[in-house]
Amino acid sequence: MEFDKFCSLDSSDPFWDWNRTWSAANPDLTQCFQNTVLVWLPCLYLWMCAPIYLIYLRSHNRGYICMSNLNKAKTAIGLLLWMICWSNVFYSFWQRHHGISVPAPVHLVSPTILGLTMLLATLLIQYERLKGVQSSGVMLIFWLLALLCATVTFRSKILQALDQMVCVWRYTTFYIYYTLLLVAFCLSCLTEQPPLFSQALKDLNPCPEPGASFLSRITFWWVTRMMIMGYKHPLEEKDLWSLNPEDCSQAVVPQIVHHWKTECQKVKRSGKTLYSPTQIPKSEGKEGQPPEESEILIVKTDRKTKEPSLLWALCLTFGPYFLISCLYKIIHDILMFVGPEILRLLINFVNNSSAPSWQGYFYTALLFICTCVQSLILQKYFHVCFITGMRLRTAVIGAVYRKALVISSAARRTSTVGEIVNLMSVDAQRFMDLITYINMIWSAPLQVVLALYFLWQNLGPSVLAGVAVMVLMVPVNAVIAMKTRTYQVAQMKSKDNRIKLMNEMLNGIKVLKLYAWELAFKDKISEIRESELQVLKKAAYLGAGSTFTWVCAPFLVALSTFGVYVLIDEHNVLDAQKAFVSLALFNILRFPLNMLPMVISSMVQASVSLKRLRVFLSHEELQEDSVEHKAVLKLSVVRLNVCIPEGCLVAVVGHVGSGKSSLLSALLGEMDKLEGTVNVKGSVAYVPQQAWIQNSSLKGNIIFGQEWKEAWYQRVVEACALQPDLEILPAGDKTEIGEKGVNLSGGQKQRVSLARAVYCDRAVYLLDDSLSAVDAHVGKHIFDQVIGPQGLLKDKTRVLVTHGLSYLPQVDLILVMVDGEITEMGSYQQLMSREGAFAEFLHTYANIDHTDNSGETQKWGILQMYFNSPSSPVTMILINLLDADFCFRIVCAYTDLITNFYSLAIMLMKRSVSFPAWVQELLVVLEIFTVKLSVFWAYAKAIGVLLSCISLLLFLTHHLLSLFSNYWLSQWTDDPIVNGTQPSRLMRLGVYGALGLSQGVAVFGYSLFMSIGGILASRCLHESMLYDVLRSPMSFFERTPSGNLVNRFSKEMDTIDSVIPNIIKMFMGSMFGVLGACVIILIATPLVAVIIPALGVLYFFVQRFYVASSRQLKRLESVSRSPIYTHFNETLLGTSVIRAFGEQERFIHESDQRVDHNQKAYYPSIVANRWLAIRLEFVGNCIVSFAALFAVIARESLSPGIVGLSISYALQLTTSLTWLVRMSSDLETNIVAVEKLKEYSDTEKEAEWKYEHSSLPPGWPTHGCIEIRGFGLRYRPNLDLAIHNITISINGGEKVGIVGRTGAGKSSLTLGLFRIIEGAEGHIIIDGVDIAQLGLHELRSRITIIPQDPVLFSGSLRLNLDPFDSYTDEDVWMALEFSHLKTFVSGLPDKLSHECSEGGENFSVGQRQLLCLARALLRKTKILVLDEATAAVDMETDNLIQSTIRSQFEECTVLTIAHRLNTIMDYTRVLVLDKGEMAEFDSPSNLIAQRGAFYQMAKDAGLV
């Protein structure tokens, strides 16, 4: 042999010798093999990796690392190794030269190759340093490989030295070489210092991953510090690492945006030729002439040709990084099949008593190494997938956010806020989930092909029987999956409807309570819920079937295969090797076959999401050129021609719906421009009609990202009349404003919105009715100080939409609008002299001055404080912190809105209030929720205790049967063979089949019982929560954000509906699986009993460490998730303001920061999962190895069947262990949902709705006499009385006006009348009945209110007027006629069935107010209360309402809380309240004559 001569000239040293290696009791490799393969292997590895690695390093420069001692040491070792190799080459030449001996070629070739490789390694070490690599995997693997190869030679050389004479030089150099290799390996495990100027040096808490050593990275050891920290104390935000730069929004989002824009450009380029020269305006097609035929065809073909591909954009962005995961997956898939192969060899080894015992230990070691490598690679694969998923989510959220800021208003109307938020939350999440599994599309077929190949090797053609069963199972599973999908869609639809209704109900809960409509809505929600549960029940039956196939499939496959195998030919003997290797392979096969349908359905879902995203991202954007910023402000939008000189004050007036706001939208470029031009000179500031307030501090709202100018800020605050409010707000201008400005009154919001515009100091001001929500005198102050000729904005161009007639004489130009057209234009004097429509309009309302709603005085602002409960310790803290004067103000002011203790504490923390120690402890307790057993018990009770017990019993039965059937199989394989056959094979097969069948029945049973139990629990918990919430008093809704409640009904309910039953099933399954495996291993090899407790303790600790940190991380992640959506929601509501101010970039940056902040908490939870999985799999791998090791040790006494059984169970154990921890942690996390739902059963409740034995006369109240005796009420037990000592008597049919400054107690009185707040003292008696003795519904359904905010619910118009269907259609039409809506409603296509949109958005505010009037007319009770009901309507509508009330409610007692005093000047009497007490009570004329408080108010309003 030529190769033998290469190693030794006389061929005395062969390349391979079986007798010396495999068959020997003390094996050794030949010298030739050691000098060639073992030397060349590491060299080959490095030379193959080097080119790719060098290219990678060139493109990934992380900065330069200074020369450190570690680097010097690595370089020195590399050079020494190089010198040693060369010394061997020179020694060979020296030998030859001196004629001592002629060395074989291998002694020249191998050291030369090795020397060059060591030189390459040294150069790589330096190049890595220049490119900033802190720890290199490529080099570590090289040193490890070289060390392992050298270790084999090292052992061999020692054995040789003991037997024969050796060459001292070569031996000495080899030992030095070996020592240096060991040192080099140890040094490569250490990590270098960070590169100069790296981010990590600047960061306070950088992510340890980039700086961790290679070994630490693959074992996720770098996560351990955080896990220990989380175990010692709850993790907080400050403990989280910063995000890696490549995962941040600013790195990820621009890539996807760039690729998407490129895609869109491509489509535009290819699409241009297809468009006809005349483009069709949007509006045509609906009305007007249809476009020509040819145009339509052209547009349609274009529609078909090509859409920009979002998928391709995503692939370009994330593809390269994702390809790495494919590589990991291939390696893992191949390694999966090593386990069964080694199992085969082990069973052969146990069977073959002549095999040397070292082979058994060798197999055991091999098994351990392979399973460990497999674990490391799998976790690395998951890590890459999850990181890609995380980046994908960041990209989707960023792209959607950026698009939302530029989308045109027409496109914006096609999707609701909820849908757009769903793109961010649900669809982004779907992509993230899919990324982990998408590789299964190619990996599953690969696994199936490999498994079938090995099975064929093992059992021959009878495998096809098993495969046939599996293939039959796939369509069954697929059908179940598709069917489940349809049910899911149906359930989602019901759920959406339910949540939509729930959301509206919570937003309008006050109205529901005032009208006593709770039961109607409860029934409506229960009806939707019932249909949802029916769908869930069907899905549960399917789920039980699916679980049945999933659990029984492997058994049926094994049964059919073994059955066919032993029945085809009686000489086919089922021995341990065939049976258990096949079982192990079938177990592998089961995973891809079950995953495929799931992955496909996941892909279907993701494709739907992809389409939704593509449609949203393709929406048309605002025309950037629709408003040109040039010379003067000139406008022409469909029949509008107007030119506004610079520095002018222009008022736009007109009725509700005449197009005033549209005019401003056109100026802002928010409308679709069809023709004409709009020029605006200079920058713009815009104040919308409904103030848009951000969830930040008051100061932040005003400054709005501009630079801070102290003096100017003070002037603006003064001018906008905000100074008195600042004095009264708890933290002045640092007060946190809640979502949508909940803790500010309407007027305060409007003034903050105005202050924001003024502070920004722009050239053009567009003010959309910005004075409507403030009191008359405040409005006057603002007009004089800000808008008017002497105001702060006197030199600016101002366009003011207004209903306030008193300001008109002072403006330069008035535009009168009717039906979207400007009918008149000119100064006040010009228009008056023309005596056109404007003059007529003015004369009608001349004596009515502009007095408006949500009363505020300069002295008082509305103060709204936050407390959780009266006994809350925070109340005490507040009282201690604040001076008495401040507390007095708190009590006197409105205390309308209350939120929970926690947010208050946060608010106070922001004011750097230091808490006493006990409060801090309390906060910690609030933060950490540990799930108590009582919650599990509550859930079990909701299912039903009997059902729970039966399910448990069936579970146990199934697992015992499963264990027994496998034990039976092992007994069968050990049956003696007589004449080449197993005599009792038919009996064995029969029993095996029967065991399988009974197992299937148990599985189906427990699956069904669990699912049905889950649905029963769902129904029970939802019903009780809905009832509990509806029975809660108003104060509960004021302090509980509606988001929290909706979340309970959607997210938590969904968890209880579909997540918890499945998790419990999986948890029980994996728990019994682990216990079963341990029992079998213990029976087979009792010695393992020594190891299992130790590993159990390790497992327990790892699990506790993980669960402690994981729960905190999940909490931090969910806490930081909602701000993303809150901010997005906020942005969507304020896009026009953001665009008008040109603040898009700042908002994008803010959104990115919030996303990054959320990913900062999500990233550690990903790596914590990997940390856990690697450690658990290590525990599992140890158990497998020990089972194999003890089987090898005790091979004399063990039968092959038992060995096979024990190891095949051990191989499954790793997966079961990982699942068990995951499921137990998921169960702990998700069962919290039950706890959250139960919370509401313990909150305070209102009085009973109806008393059983009510003695109330049927027509009560018949006269409408109201007698109030010494009445007082307080908002919460520990506060002073808000109103007190009120004693008045009102006769039936009287009209009484209630007036007073803000905070005087006007609304409190009506709240007391309806018992929204229970009286603290005194009585209210209506027609001789004390209202405190009545059920709430009995009281509230017999008196009527027209509330301040006109609330409509989505549903038909009829439902909004009469939810209980207690009136005929004639009655309803009559009510509509009296409320001046008949013509409008009869003009609607569906008349009374016309669908109201969410919150009644498709009606104007005035129309909504008239609908509330119609409700009152329909009920026509003897007592009517008007709560500032005409605040939001123009003069004309106000007149309509007033006249209707005068004519229709002539007989009734009417109480009106009034701001426009002119509406009550003709009332019988007026009640004037001051500081919660009755100040005056008499007829208006008498009160004016007395010149008291009422006279002063009338004077302010210009009525006297």
Side-chain angles (χ1 to χ4, degrees), residues 41 169 175 230 250 252 345 479 532 600 610 719-720 1218 1419 1458:
L41 192 66
W169 172 267
Y175 289 143
Q250 62 203 53
V252 178
L345 295 168
V479 167
E532 197 181 336
I600 290 167
L610 192 72
C720 294
T1218 319
R1419 284 170 78 148

Side-chain angles (χ1 to χ4, degrees), residues 660-661 664 686-689 750 766-770 799 801:
K660 303 184 293 295
S661 299
L664 295 192
Y686 169 58
V687 180
Q689 189 170 4
Q750 197 63 65
L766 306 177
L767 312 170
D768 193 351
D769 204 5
S770 53
V799 179
V801 169

Side-chain angles (χ1 to χ4, degrees), residues 254-289:
Q255 294 178 9
I256 182 94
V257 170
H258 165 71
H259 289 305
W260 170 246
K261 280 190 175 152
T262 316
E263 275 300 299
C264 294
Q265 291 302 323
K266 266 194 229 162
V267 172
K268 268 187 191 160
R269 279 200 297 275
S270 64
K272 265 180 189 163
T273 50
L274 291 156
Y275 270 122
S276 69
T278 51
Q279 261 193 335
I280 310 163
K282 271 276 156 69
S283 63
E284 290 185 318
K286 278 189 184 172
E287 56 218 45
Q289 292 304 306

